[in-house]
Amino acid sequence: MNYDHANHKYNSKLTSLNGTSNGSDSKKLRVEEAPPSRVLHIRKLPNEASETEVIALGLPFGKVTNILTLKGKNQAFLEMGTEEAAITMVNYYTTVTPHVRNVPVFIQYSTHKELKTDAGNQRTQAVLQAVSAVQSGGSPSSDVQEALAAASSPVLRIIIDNMFYPVTLDVLQQIFSKFGTVMKIITFTKNNQFQALLQFSDPVNAQQAKLALDGQNIYNSCCTLRIDFSKLVNLNVKYNNDKSRDYTRPELPAGDGQPTLDPSVAAAFSKDSNSLLGKIPGALNPLSAAAAAAAAAGRVALAGQSGSSGVLLVSNLNEEVSNLRTWVYGDVQRVKILYNKKDSALIQMSDANQAQLAMSHLNGQKMYGKIIRVTLSKHQTVALPRDGLDDQGLTKDFTNSPLHRFKKPGSKNFQNIFPPSATLHLSNIPQDVTEDDLRLLFSNAGGTVKAFKFFQDHKMALLQMSTVEEAIQALIDLHNYNMGGNQHLRVSFSKSTI
């Protein structure tokens, strides 16, 4: 039968076979269970979803042998090579909601045992052939590559959105090496966003990595991968350190002021780019059962941080600074100014990941005229003073503060975490507050307001101070500022400029 006829035939059977006549507007989230089958029924796909994006859902679990998309019903059928692969896929997506174009989709076993579609749809067949060739270790033919609009570059440009947790060069290597040999990586920050250039040994590997990983989250609800092909065809790496690495040349120097690469690690990388795969808890590696468990658990520990402290030691503070709970990189639980060293404090965050994030963004920043030092403390918690003991107000407990930014899982605040910058994002602005009011408020905090811009609804605005230091000081002083009527101003760093 031809493709259109197959479409019509499967459409007409949907109501009786899969319990719903329209996957896009059905409010019934719980799907009726069918016995395991290598054919999977995918519902609630966004209108613009492509076949390649649907195939990408199944890629990590095994060979994809066929696909049928039902555009008018926002549904698709995906046939896996084996029933075992389909079961693994369903089990994984039972704990981790799959997304296509940031829209949650629903996957269940189909009552079909196989898909019978005509091979006349050349584009679909080209995609399937390319996937099959790569998964079996070969290379797709030239006409298949053309059908996929193959890029000639083996280099990918990667941007990390919503970077709530730090992403390292090693994390990227673990994730992308699943799709081929990673030869070189260069990381950098541009426009206040963490970015990377990553070179595969073969452009086909770059294609498959982009197909499978673009739009995916490294950690639950955050650290979203945005992937494009780079115009570069080869990366020139001069140093092997935390910022750049050439896995084909482990003998490269570390460079001035950069941590050197451990020789044993360098040797491991040079022998086998996959040798460390899966060693980073929570890294996006859908074939790993550990990754599924970590993703299902929500927030996960970073490499080297498992079981580590959520307490920071902050030193070289201006002794007049008292509002240390207003930190933009996590929820501060407790603060203790050290009795014999009042320019230092212990700050307990909600977890070790928030502590790591705060340390990576704030260590070395200038605050109230002094460059602060932020390190992980050996303490696991900040102890409260014993009952009846007066510690002169040096210890504060903010555990039950109603003003925490990140206490709600999946909060949109996770999506707006950026390094310190001179531009601040203001929100929760009362309707009767004017630009002049806000300019005066921030000028009085110390510093000069260089630029200001209201958003269209006047509930949010961008405000630019003359320096990053002034912006940090303004954020500390004015986040949660009561604007009247118990309406508290929200202040965070912005990646934008005015």
Side-chain angles (χ1 to χ4, degrees):
M1 62 183 168
N2 63 32
Y3 185 76
D4 290 336
H5 181 66
N7 233 336
H8 176 75
K9 181 178 178 181
Y10 279 102
N11 274 341
S12 63
K13 288 186 176 181
L14 279 177
T15 302
S16 58
L17 291 178
N18 293 292
T20 174
S21 62
N22 192 326
S24 62
D25 55 14
S26 170
K27 294 183 179 179
K28 184 179 177 185
L29 297 186
R30 187 182 67 83
V31 294
E32 296 176 10
E33 292 190 12
S37 165
R38 67 190 183 102
V39 179
L40 301 174
H41 178 214
I42 303 170
R43 302 184 301 126
K44 294 186 178 292
L45 288 164
N47 291 330
E48 64 275 17
S50 67
E51 290 169 332
T52 54
E53 288 170 313
V54 176
I55 290 173
L57 292 172
L59 273 181
F61 304 95
K63 187 175 182 179
V64 177
T65 52
N66 211 345
I67 181 175
L68 176 64
T69 56
L70 309 176
K71 291 288 188 181
K73 294 186 177 293
N74 301 87
Q75 301 182 28
F77 290 97
L78 193 69
E79 182 185 270
M80 302 299 291
T82 65
E83 189 174 292
E84 182 183 10
I87 292 172
T88 302
M89 180 173 167
V90 169
N91 288 345
Y92 177 75
Y93 287 133
T94 298
T95 57
V96 182
T97 303
H99 287 73
V100 174
R101 300 200 175 209
N102 295 319
V103 175
V105 299
F106 300 89
I107 299 177
Q108 66 185 114
Y109 297 116
S110 170
T111 53
H112 300 295
K113 293 303 179 184
E114 63 177 331
L115 286 181
K116 295 180 180 179
T117 56
D118 186 54
N121 189 311
Q122 294 181 352
R123 185 178 181 281
T124 299
Q125 292 305 313
V127 172
L128 289 170
Q129 286 177 44
V131 170
S132 176
V134 173
Q135 288 186 326
S136 61
S139 297
S141 62
S142 58
D143 59 325
V144 169
Q145 292 189 50
E146 289 173 12
L148 279 171
S152 59
S153 174
V155 179
L156 296 175
R157 182 173 67 94
I158 303 159
I159 297 175
I160 310 293
D161 280 345
N162 312 334
M163 201 166 92
F164 182 56
Y165 298 136
V167 175
T168 66
L169 182 148
D170 290 328
V171 168
L172 292 176
Q173 193 274 341
Q174 304 306 308
I175 296 168
F176 282 84
S177 62
K178 190 65 194 172
F179 297 88
T181 302
V182 175
M183 298 180 69
K184 304 171 185 178
I185 305 177
I186 298 173
T187 64
F188 54 96
T189 299
K190 184 178 180 181
N191 298 329
N192 287 329
Q193 277 192 312
F194 179 86
Q195 301 189 25
L197 293 170
L198 183 145
Q199 181 177 340
F200 279 102
S201 59
D202 192 316
V204 174
N205 302 142
Q207 265 189 339
Q208 292 306 311
K210 181 181 184 301
L211 175 68
L213 297 176
D214 187 30
Q216 298 288 331
N217 293 331
I218 297 177
Y219 301 108
N220 200 34
S221 302
C222 65
C223 299
T224 307
L225 291 164
R226 304 295 181 201
I227 305 171
D228 286 306
F229 290 105
S230 171
K231 294 179 181 178
L232 300 171
V233 294
N234 184 52
L235 298 180
N236 182 22
V237 177
K238 296 180 179 179
Y239 304 111
N240 281 340
N241 52 43
D242 288 348
K243 302 295 184 185
S244 63
R245 199 162 300 165
D246 186 336
Y247 296 96
T248 67
R249 300 180 64 196
E251 75 282 358
L252 285 177
D256 294 338
Q258 288 287 348
T260 184
L261 184 62
D262 184 89
S264 61
V265 176
F269 278 135
S270 65
K271 289 177 183 176
D272 180 7
S273 66
N274 289 322
S275 61
L276 299 182
L277 189 63
K279 296 293 179 68
I280 296 183
L284 181 62
N285 173 16
L287 289 180
S288 162
R299 296 180 185 176
V300 292
L302 293 172
Q305 298 301 321
S306 180
S308 64
S309 170
V311 178
L312 295 167
L313 174 62
V314 185
S315 57
N316 204 36
L317 288 164
N318 186 311
E319 293 189 22
E320 296 178 1
V321 176
S322 60
N323 191 11
L324 285 174
R325 66 169 172 165
T326 309
W327 280 38
V328 72
Y329 299 110
D331 292 333
V332 174
Q333 303 298 305
R334 293 174 182 172
V335 175
K336 184 181 187 71
I337 306 293
L338 302 189
Y339 181 78
N340 293 322
K341 193 170 173 51
K342 291 190 171 58
D343 69 343
S344 300
L346 293 173
I347 300 180
Q348 181 179 333
M349 309 297 289
S350 290
D351 57 41
N353 292 310
Q354 290 187 6
Q356 176 77 26
L357 188 68
M359 180 178 71
S360 65
H361 281 314
L362 293 173
N363 182 42
Q365 292 289 347
K366 201 170 185 181
M367 187 182 295
Y368 292 93
K370 301 179 73 175
I371 295 176
I372 65 170
R373 300 297 174 209
V374 184
T375 59
L376 291 174
S377 169
K378 63 182 179 181
H379 296 281
Q380 296 299 309
T381 59
V382 172
L384 294 173
R386 292 190 295 272
D387 290 342
L389 183 66
D390 180 15
D391 77 340
Q392 302 175 18
L394 296 177
T395 306
K396 301 287 186 182
D397 186 4
F398 305 110
T399 305
N400 298 315
S401 170
L403 302 177
H404 284 163
R405 294 175 187 250
F406 307 108
K407 61 183 177 182
K408 183 180 178 182
S411 166
K412 64 182 179 181
N413 290 331
F414 291 138
Q415 303 171 17
N416 297 305
I417 297 176
F418 304 105
S421 65
T423 305
L424 298 170
H425 180 274
L426 316 181
S427 60
N428 205 34
I429 302 171
Q431 287 293 336
D432 59 348
V433 171
T434 67
E435 176 180 338
D436 288 341
D437 293 333
L438 290 167
R439 281 179 174 270
L440 180 61
L441 179 65
F442 279 78
S443 296
N444 288 341
T448 303
V449 176
K450 289 188 64 178
F452 183 92
K453 180 183 178 182
F454 262 125
F455 285 57
Q456 192 169 4
D457 61 3
H458 275 226
K459 293 180 181 178
M460 295 187 291
L462 293 177
L463 183 144
Q464 185 177 340
M465 304 298 290
S466 60
T467 65
V468 174
E469 180 187 2
E470 289 180 4
I472 292 174
Q473 181 176 328
L475 185 147
I476 291 174
D477 290 347
L478 296 174
H479 176 65
N480 289 325
Y481 183 84
N482 192 340
M483 301 294 290
N486 203 32
Q487 194 162 349
H488 294 266
L489 184 67
R490 301 281 185 257
V491 185
S492 58
F493 296 115
S494 173
K495 66 178 180 179
S496 305
T497 56
I498 305 174

